Amino acid sequence: MSHFTHIKTRFQNLFYLEKALNRLNINYKKVVSSQIPNSSLIITQSNGYDLEFSWNNHEYELIADISFWQQTYPIETFMDQIAKQYAGEVIIGESQKIGFQPVKYEQNLDGSNTLILERWNRQIS
């Protein structure tokens, strides 16, 4: 018997969530429905118990049957990795809107990320 768990997140932007999954090389498919205003992202598993990021009117929550978890990492690590990448994508995307450009983005040995942005001040005389 399946017992689905709904895991709260702070992922509110589908574009940045997709970019984070892509950066982590996590394959997913986007499901668009005419009845639901926001798309869902499905991460397939070979056992048929897929993972889903679904909009709950506030955020994209992860829906999964934890007893059939087949990802490389435990769920806590999996979610932490996505959250880290999501935060980096939000910082880059929102910073670019105000003129910053990413110069360096790398993952450190301790698991943290380094992100360097720059913006040139254009003074016209």
Side-chain angles (χ1 to χ4, degrees), residues 8-99:
K8 300 283 183 194
T9 70
R10 295 193 183 249
F11 308 145
Q12 297 178 332
N13 186 303
L14 183 63
F15 175 74
Y16 294 135
L17 178 54
E18 287 183 275
K19 287 185 72 95
L21 294 174
N22 288 332
R23 189 177 286 274
L24 292 167
N25 295 316
I26 297 173
N27 295 322
Y28 64 90
K29 62 183 175 183
K30 189 183 224 178
V31 178
V32 181
S33 170
S34 59
Q35 277 93 31
I36 302 171
N38 292 61
S39 302
S40 293
L41 301 179
I42 307 291
I43 300 169
T44 59
Q45 298 191 123
S46 61
N47 63 7
Y49 291 91
D50 298 340
L51 314 176
E52 179 180 0
F53 280 102
S54 180
W55 183 250
N56 69 7
N57 291 323
H58 302 289
E59 64 201 2
Y60 283 92
E61 64 185 358
L62 178 65
I63 302 171
D65 188 332
I66 304 304
S67 5
F68 295 100
W69 186 260
Q70 278 194 323
Q71 298 303 304
T72 308
Y73 303 103
I75 192 160
E76 297 82 11
T77 306
F78 180 80
M79 291 302 294
D80 284 347
Q81 288 181 338
I82 294 173
K84 253 192 274 187
Q85 295 303 322
Y86 179 86
E89 294 301 334
V90 169
I91 291 167
I92 290 170
E94 296 303 309
S95 296
Q96 286 178 323
K97 290 178 183 177
I98 58 172

